[in-house]
């Protein structure tokens, strides 16, 4: 257990944003969005020059060409240097990864939607660069080739399922294995990149002097050397630029800073950092390289930053190398940097994410390998800085454990008050570790888990392939839609099984059986398609940098992470829309088969007409008044448990050998908006195409009427015991936390839920009236942050449907 310096915590509480951090924040407020074509210029150049070479080597040379030539800049407020684009808010594209995935570049006006809210006009020169890249890589990318394989295996079914929002992501989202997780920061900051290069050279020399005939290993180690040297060279470009700017700088203080930056960039990331500032600068360079290798999902997650950075922080504070105020300034610089570098998404990701800031994840707290509390002063400082920045990204998670101290939980609640929008979230360290251990992962490895994107847990000793191969989530509410419409999806196609007209069903169990048949057919076909894509992708895409720095196994075995290894890969799925399905099934059981207030024919007529007309509205009101999850009503909560258990049973029944049993984690995003577009009117009273329930174990918006404690009881009854993680959103009035008593209440509430086995909880601290005003006056509320599913976003950038979803969630009091 760390010996906490309470005086340092008190000093941290008094820190405010530095002038440089404030200047950056103001620049973000006024910055316009930019889509940069610079990367694509160099991907095309390299690809044409390396035609005929091995794929691993080609991908390594492509990244080297990008890093050697990418336009770079050091902005006046930069304390840490290196960003993916020279703009304060800049978007990169990824034609070499996903092919011709941005249809708007072919429009004459050159306007591309960077998000659902932000449109960007691209200049003619940049537009032609993007079009050239699309012509070069389109039709030949890994997603293109996987779609061809899907068509050969199942005809149009795969695309039909995507179009009906029954599964996601689409293949052009390009969520390849390990791309959304953190690099192996714990090792990188200890040894530096030169050590990695020496390691790769030793493997290569051993291969050349041995008898192994798997030449792909040699290609991998050669590629690793190329990309790691390129990252070092990229850092040296910044050293040269810093000296150039220093020579022209008239302000003596800034000149000194720039010269110091130059010295640091010469030293790291090649060598192991000696100071806290050097460690952060190393992370910046490696993070940018990760983004440039895969801009769409190269999120440079921090993982357990308060653990691997703590020795640098503690040493520098104790020996006077740095003040805690300067440490805060440096942390704020890097957090802000990675919170405003963006990417252009394919259409399906725009719907499921709504924003395109890289969803970076920083975890604090948790336990050590011996089970003792891992919280420290840096955990506290990270939370404080996030509260000062008040930006929607990164996602910050507190790993709650039974040994987590109150001072850290209280600081987390105070940070939430500052940000308002669910930052940080609380995730149960004990529960996640227990899941991993039960699935055969050692306790030592399981302890090191961190969040992927939102809440999905991943560990540094396994390649994370969740979302890879076009398989990240499928729509359980969509399965019920199929059961209610004899296998016909929202687009009128026979995507599901012909399980019969529900008007003819004689019992609730007959309907429930049809629902399970639709579930098994959909999920198992999706798993098969995913495994087909897994076989295809490695022939068209490789990621040598992410492989070398992300997973030690890849370096040891000479194997790219895209070429999945059964013993070192974890594959997961989110079976989403469970609460919608459960509430709807409970409504059918209650209204039709138990109380007999409706016939199945009356209900189906109302659903098929989206509850239109006077009788339709009467039926809708009956559906809304039926027992709902979230009110501590046993039959409704047990229905949610039943659907959860049966969904997990079906998933685990799929033979995924030789790979692991497919793990389950039910995360957030804005998936409920995306998933809702694939579901017609439901018997829970929800109208067609409306968002589903937020999070994954949150009650239907506005239907949790018995108070916050009743919600917790329902969640604990439903259990979702087979899922590593699930998202529970709650909204509290800002008045609750106006004094210490209110804060203490929420601390106690959080601890009680977690101690009882709750897996996750996050809070929107704001009033519904404030949200309604922001919808009417967006220009006055640009900084208002809200929690959506598993991530936070600026309220005014969200779709109208998601804004209403947040507004009409129940506002709780304690």
């Amino acid at each position: 257990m760390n010996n906490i310096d309470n005086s340092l915590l008190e000093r941290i509480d008094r820190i405010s944003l530095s002038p440089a951090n404030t200047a950056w924040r103001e620049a973000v407020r006024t910055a316009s969005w930019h889509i940069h074509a610079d990367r694509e210029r160099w991907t095309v150049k390299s690809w044409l020059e390396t035609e005929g070479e091995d794929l691993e080597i080609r991908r390594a040379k492509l990244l080297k060409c990008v890093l050697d030539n990418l336009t770079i800049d050091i902005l006046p407020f930069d304390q840490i240097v290196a960003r993916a684009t020279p703009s304060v808010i800049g978007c990169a594209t990824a034609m070499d990864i996903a092919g011709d995935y941005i249809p708007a570049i072919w429009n004459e006006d050159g306007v591309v939607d960077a998000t659902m809210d932000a449109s960007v006009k691209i200049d003619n020169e940049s537009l032609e660069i993007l079009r050239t890249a699309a012509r070069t890589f389109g039709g030949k990318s890994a997603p293109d080739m996987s779609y061809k394989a899907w068509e050969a295996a199942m005809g149009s079914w795969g695309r039909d399922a995507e179009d009906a929002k029954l599964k996601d992501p689409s293949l052009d989202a390009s969520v390849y294995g390990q791309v959304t997780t953190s690099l192996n920061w714990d090792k990188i900051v200890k040894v530096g990149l030169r050590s990695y290069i020496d390691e790769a050279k030793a493997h290569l020399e051993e291969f050349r002097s041995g008898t192994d005939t798997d030449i792909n290993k040699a290609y991998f180690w050669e590629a690793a050397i190329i990309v790691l040297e390129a990252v070092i060279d990229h850092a040296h470009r910044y050293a040269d630029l810093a000296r150039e700017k220093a020579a022209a700088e008239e302000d003596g203080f800034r000149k000194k800073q720039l010269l110091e930056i130059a010295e640091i960039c010469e030293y790291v990331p090649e060598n192991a950092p000696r100071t806290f500032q050097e460690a952060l600068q190393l992370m910046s360079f490696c993070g940018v390289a990760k983004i440039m290798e895969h801009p769409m999902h190269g999120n440079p997650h921090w993982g357990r930053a308060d653990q691997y950075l703590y020795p640098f922080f503690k040493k520098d504070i104790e020996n006077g190398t740095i003040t805690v105020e300067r440490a805060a300034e440096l942390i704020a610089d890097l957090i802000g940097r990675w919170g405003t570098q963006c990417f252009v998404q394919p259409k399906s990701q725009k719907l499921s994410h709504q924003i395109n800031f890289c969803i970076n994840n920083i975890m604090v707290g948790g336990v050590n390998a011996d089970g003792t509390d891992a919280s420290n002063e840096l955990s506290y400082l990270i939370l404080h800085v996030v509260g000062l920045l008040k930006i929607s990204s990164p996602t910050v998670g507190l790993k709650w454990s039974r040994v987590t101290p109150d001072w850290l939980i209280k600081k987390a609640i105070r940070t939430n008050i500052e940000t308002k929008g669910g930052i940080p979230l609380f995730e149960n360290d004990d529960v996640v570790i227990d899941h991993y251990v039960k699935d055969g992962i050692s306790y030592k490895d399981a302890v090191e888990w961190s969040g992927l994107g939102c809440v999905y847990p991943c560990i540094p000793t396994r390649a994370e392939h969740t979302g890879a191969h076009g398989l990240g989530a499928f729509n359980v509410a969509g399965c019920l839609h199929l059961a209610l419409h004899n296998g016909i999806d929202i687009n009128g196609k026979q995507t599901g099984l012909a399980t019969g007209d529900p008007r003819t069903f004689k019992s609730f169990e007959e309907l429930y059986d049809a629902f399970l048949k639709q579930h098994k057919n959909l999920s198992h076909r999706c798993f098969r398609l995913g495994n087909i894509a897994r076989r295809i992708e490695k022939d068209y895409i490789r990621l040598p940098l992410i492989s070398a720095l992300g997973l030690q196994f890849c370096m040891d075995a000479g194997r790219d992470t895209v070429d999945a290894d059964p013993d070192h890969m974890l594959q997961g799925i989110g079976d989403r829309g469970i609460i919608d399905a459960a509430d709807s099934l409970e409504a059918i059981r209650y209204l039709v088969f138990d109380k007999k207030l409706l016939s199945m024919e009356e209900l189906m007529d109302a659903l098929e007409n989206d509850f239109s007309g006077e009788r339709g509205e009467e039926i809708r009101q009956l559906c809304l008044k039926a027992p709902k999850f979230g009110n501590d009503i046993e039959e409704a909560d047990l229905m949610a448990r039943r659907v959860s258990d049966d969904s997990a049973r079906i998933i685990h029944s799929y033979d995924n050998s030789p790979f692991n049993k497919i793990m389950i984690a039910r995360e957030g995003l804005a998936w409920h908006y995306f998933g809702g577009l694939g579901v017609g009117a439901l018997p829970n009273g929800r109208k067609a195409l409306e968002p589903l329930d937020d999070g994954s174990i949150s009650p239907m918006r506005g239907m949790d009427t018995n108070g916050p404690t009743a919600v917790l009881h329902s969640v604990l009854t439903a259990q979702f015991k087979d899922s590593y993680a699930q998202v529970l959103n709650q909204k509290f009035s800002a008045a609750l936390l106006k004094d210490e008593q209110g804060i203490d209440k929420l601390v106690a509430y959080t601890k009680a839920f977690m101690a009882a086995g709750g897996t996750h909880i996050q809070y929107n601290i704001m009033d519904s009236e404030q949200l309604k005003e922001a919808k009417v006056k967006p220009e006055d509320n640009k900084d208002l942050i809200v929690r959506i599913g598993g991530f936070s976003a600026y309220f005014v950038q969200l779709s109208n449907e998601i804004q209403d979803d947040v507004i009409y969630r129940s506002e709780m009091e304690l």
Side-chain angles (χ1 to χ4, degrees):
M1 182 179 295
N2 295 310
N3 185 19
I4 301 301
D5 182 349
N6 288 308
S7 65
L8 188 58
L9 301 187
E10 293 173 4
R11 189 171 170 182
I12 289 170
D13 282 334
R14 295 193 294 270
I15 293 174
S16 56
L17 282 183
S18 74
N21 295 152
T22 302
W24 168 83
R25 196 168 184 274
E26 289 305 309
V28 171
R29 288 171 181 264
T30 58
S32 56
W33 293 69
H34 291 276
I35 294 176
H36 291 268
D38 196 23
R39 179 181 179 275
E40 300 294 13
R41 184 198 307 272
W42 306 113
T43 61
V44 171
K45 180 179 185 296
S46 176
W47 201 247
L48 296 178
E49 290 175 348
T50 59
E51 187 172 356
E53 297 186 43
D54 176 77
L55 178 60
E56 195 85 47
I57 301 297
R58 293 188 80 186
R59 290 295 308 175
K61 289 184 176 180
L62 181 149
L63 179 57
K64 173 178 169 54
C65 188
V66 170
L67 294 177
D68 286 351
N69 295 284
L70 194 71
T71 300
I72 63 173
D73 198 4
I74 298 174
L75 302 180
F77 39 73
D78 285 347
Q79 308 294 301
I80 302 292
V81 300
R83 49 170 51 84
T85 75
S87 298
V88 176
I89 301 180
C91 301
T93 59
M95 304 295 185
D96 58 307
I97 300 287
D100 185 7
Y101 79 103
I102 310 175
I105 65 170
W106 302 107
N107 297 340
E108 290 185 6
D109 61 9
V111 176
V112 173
D113 291 334
T115 69
M116 293 184 71
D117 175 72
S119 295
V120 178
K121 178 75 165 73
I122 302 177
D123 64 86
N124 290 335
E125 180 185 1
S126 296
L127 196 61
E128 187 51 40
I129 292 171
L130 295 178
R131 289 172 175 173
T132 299
R135 294 185 193 103
T136 302
F137 299 106
K140 301 179 284 292
S141 68
D144 292 316
M145 304 311 290
S146 294
Y147 274 128
K148 290 176 183 177
W150 282 10
E151 188 172 355
M154 293 190 189
S156 66
W157 189 89
R159 285 188 182 271
D160 291 343
E162 286 181 353
D163 291 343
K165 311 300 186 290
L166 294 171
K167 64 164 288 294
D168 70 284
S170 54
L171 285 172
D172 58 6
S174 302
V175 191
Y176 306 118
Q178 202 66 12
V179 301
T180 56
T181 57
S182 64
L183 299 177
N184 188 0
W185 295 121
D186 186 60
K187 177 182 176 181
I188 297 170
V189 299
K190 287 176 180 175
V191 303
L193 299 194
R194 181 58 58 190
S195 176
Y196 275 87
I197 292 169
D198 291 342
E199 191 177 346
K201 286 181 175 178
H203 282 302
L204 193 56
E205 181 59 33
E206 183 181 3
F207 179 87
R208 287 171 175 168
S209 62
T211 59
D212 196 337
T213 59
D214 186 355
I215 193 62
N216 288 316
K217 295 180 181 179
Y219 287 142
F220 174 82
W221 289 314
E222 184 180 345
I225 294 168
I226 292 170
V227 295
L228 295 171
E229 291 280 11
V231 180
I232 294 171
D233 291 343
H234 190 63
H236 292 168
R237 291 183 65 204
Y238 273 96
D240 293 341
L241 180 60
R243 291 192 184 95
E244 179 185 324
K245 285 183 174 286
E249 180 59 60
E250 295 181 358
D251 181 87
F253 180 75
R254 182 57 175 167
K255 180 188 288 285
K256 182 180 177 181
Q257 277 191 336
L258 288 167
L259 291 174
E260 182 183 13
I261 286 170
E263 290 181 10
I264 291 172
C265 294
E266 289 286 358
Y267 192 78
V268 294
E270 181 171 9
N271 304 291
R274 299 160 296 190
T275 66
F276 186 67
Q277 182 170 349
E278 287 182 351
L280 292 177
Q281 185 61 72
L282 174 147
M283 291 176 66
S284 182
F285 283 127
C286 293
V288 165
K290 185 174 188 277
I291 293 173
M292 286 296 96
E293 185 170 49
H294 193 317
M296 294 171 74
H297 300 285
N299 313 14
H301 291 297
W302 290 45
R304 300 191 73 188
D306 63 341
Q307 303 305 303
Y308 59 78
L309 288 175
Y310 186 67
F312 299 98
F313 173 78
K314 188 70 169 175
K315 183 186 72 172
D316 284 5
I317 291 291
E318 289 179 346
N319 65 22
T321 302
I322 197 172
T323 65
V324 68
E325 289 80 10
R326 175 62 173 164
E329 181 178 44
L330 295 171
I331 292 171
D333 188 294
L334 190 54
I335 287 178
R337 179 82 44 81
W338 287 350
T340 51
Q341 292 296 286
C342 317
F343 59 98
V344 181
Q345 302 163 312
K347 181 179 178 181
S348 67
Q349 294 260 290
K350 285 188 175 74
L351 296 174
S352 63
H353 288 59
Q354 300 249 339
I355 54 98
N356 70 345
F357 290 123
C358 291
I359 305 178
N360 305 302
N361 196 306
I362 304 175
M363 304 297 294
V364 298
V367 297
N368 297 306
D370 61 0
T372 58
D373 174 46
S375 308
N376 57 48
E377 298 94 335
L378 185 55
S379 316
Y380 197 87
L381 180 59
I382 289 171
L383 291 174
H384 185 77
V385 168
V386 168
L388 292 176
L389 285 173
K390 296 180 176 64
I391 56 176
S392 67
S393 181
T395 291
V396 182
L398 187 146
K399 296 175 69 168
W400 180 93
S401 166
R402 292 178 186 275
V403 296
T404 300
D406 280 3
W407 58 261
L408 188 65
I409 302 174
K410 184 172 285 192
K411 185 62 174 178
I413 297 297
R414 290 187 181 280
T415 302
N416 201 327
I417 295 171
E418 293 298 321
T419 63
K420 292 184 168 55
I423 303 173
L425 58 83
F426 298 85
E427 203 157 0
N428 195 320
D429 202 27
D430 301 336
V431 170
V432 175
I433 291 170
D434 187 56
H435 267 294
Y436 273 122
V437 171
K438 286 180 179 177
D439 281 344
I441 303 296
S442 71
Y443 182 87
K444 179 182 177 182
D445 286 350
V447 161
E448 299 302 326
W449 74 270
S450 61
L452 176 163
C454 299
V455 302
Y456 200 113
C458 56
I459 54 176
T461 56
R462 297 292 188 278
E464 182 54 63
H465 279 242
T466 297
H469 332 306
L471 187 64
F474 69 88
N475 195 335
V476 176
C479 295
L480 180 58
H481 175 96
L482 293 175
L484 292 172
H485 298 87
N486 199 18
I488 303 297
D489 67 29
I490 195 71
N491 296 323
K493 294 186 177 181
Q494 187 74 47
T495 309
L497 298 173
T499 49
D501 183 347
R503 291 174 175 83
T504 66
F505 293 165
K506 303 302 182 186
S507 68
F508 172 77
E509 293 304 323
E510 192 174 352
L511 172 65
Y512 193 80
D513 183 61
F515 163 65
L516 295 185
K517 286 178 179 176
Q518 298 290 356
H519 184 305
K520 183 174 182 178
N521 178 68
L522 175 66
S523 60
H524 285 210
R525 285 171 75 88
C526 288
F527 296 149
R528 183 184 173 211
L529 287 178
N531 284 333
I532 289 171
R534 175 178 52 77
R535 291 176 178 270
I536 294 293
E537 287 173 349
K538 62 183 175 63
D539 295 332
Y540 299 95
I541 185 68
R542 298 294 175 87
L543 301 167
L545 179 110
I546 291 172
S547 301
L549 294 183
L551 193 69
Q552 185 60 41
F553 165 78
C554 292
M555 180 64 84
D556 294 341
R559 184 165 179 162
D560 194 289
T561 184
V562 179
D563 185 9
D565 177 81
D567 295 329
H568 294 87
M569 165 188 158
L570 290 178
Q571 181 180 354
I573 191 74
D575 46 344
R576 297 294 307 279
I578 285 177
I579 298 303
D580 303 270
D583 278 351
S584 296
L585 287 163
E586 177 59 23
I588 295 171
R589 186 198 65 77
Y590 179 84
L591 295 173
V592 176
F593 295 103
D594 186 5
K595 300 299 182 180
K596 300 188 184 332
L597 299 176
L598 290 173
S599 68
M600 199 66 192
E601 184 167 0
E602 286 179 304
L603 177 60
M604 287 306 306
D605 287 346
L607 296 179
E608 290 175 356
N609 289 286
D610 201 20
F611 298 113
S612 63
E614 184 176 342
R615 179 55 176 159
E617 182 58 28
E618 289 176 4
I619 292 174
R620 180 169 181 262
Q621 291 304 315
L622 287 173
C623 291
L624 289 170
K625 292 174 184 176
K628 293 286 187 298
F629 173 82
N631 294 291
D632 198 15
I633 300 172
E634 185 177 39
E635 56 266 34
D637 300 342
L638 290 178
M639 182 64 77
R641 183 196 295 186
R642 181 181 183 183
V643 174
S644 170
D645 290 351
D646 284 337
S647 179
R649 175 181 54 78
I650 291 171
I651 291 168
H652 290 156
S653 72
Y654 180 78
D655 182 5
N656 201 43
S657 58
F659 292 87
N660 68 298
K661 176 183 72 175
I662 295 171
M663 63 181 283
I664 299 168
R666 297 159 181 163
E667 53 183 345
L669 301 171
W671 185 92
H672 56 302
Y673 173 81
F674 169 89
L677 297 176
V679 183
L682 286 175
N684 65 352
R686 168 196 160 276
K687 288 195 170 186
L689 309 185
E690 287 184 351
L692 301 171
D693 76 282
D694 67 81
S696 53
I697 201 167
S698 298
M700 182 181 176
R701 57 192 163 279
M703 291 293 104
D704 45 340
T705 57
N706 288 348
T709 303
V711 174
L712 300 194
H713 287 163
S714 291
V715 170
L716 294 170
T717 299
Q719 295 181 344
F720 280 20
K721 61 183 176 63
D722 295 290
S723 177
Y724 274 63
Q726 45 268 344
V727 174
L728 172 62
N729 279 305
Q730 288 200 297
K731 185 169 73 173
F732 285 99
S733 167
L736 168 68
L737 300 178
K738 66 180 183 298
D739 54 31
E740 284 296 315
Q741 184 179 14
I743 293 172
D744 289 341
K745 280 184 179 181
L746 195 55
V747 169
Y749 179 82
T750 305
K751 288 172 59 180
F753 176 57
M754 292 296 193
T759 301
H760 167 283
I761 197 166
Q762 58 197 21
Y763 305 114
N764 274 314
I765 309 295
M766 61 189 63
D767 301 324
S768 297
E769 291 305 314
Q770 181 184 9
L771 296 171
K772 291 176 182 177
E773 180 182 348
K775 190 173 179 182
V776 176
K777 299 179 179 179
E779 66 280 358
D780 296 335
N781 293 274
K782 291 181 178 180
D783 295 331
L784 181 62
I785 300 170
V786 294
R787 198 69 172 182
I788 307 305
F791 71 98
S792 297
Y794 296 107
F795 182 77
V796 298
Q797 293 181 5
L798 299 168
S799 66
N800 180 68
E801 293 85 353
I802 289 296
Q803 288 181 337
D804 285 344
D805 173 73
V806 177
I807 288 171
Y808 295 110
R809 293 175 192 174
S810 296
E811 188 173 301
M812 300 293 188
E813 299 285 349
L814 283 176

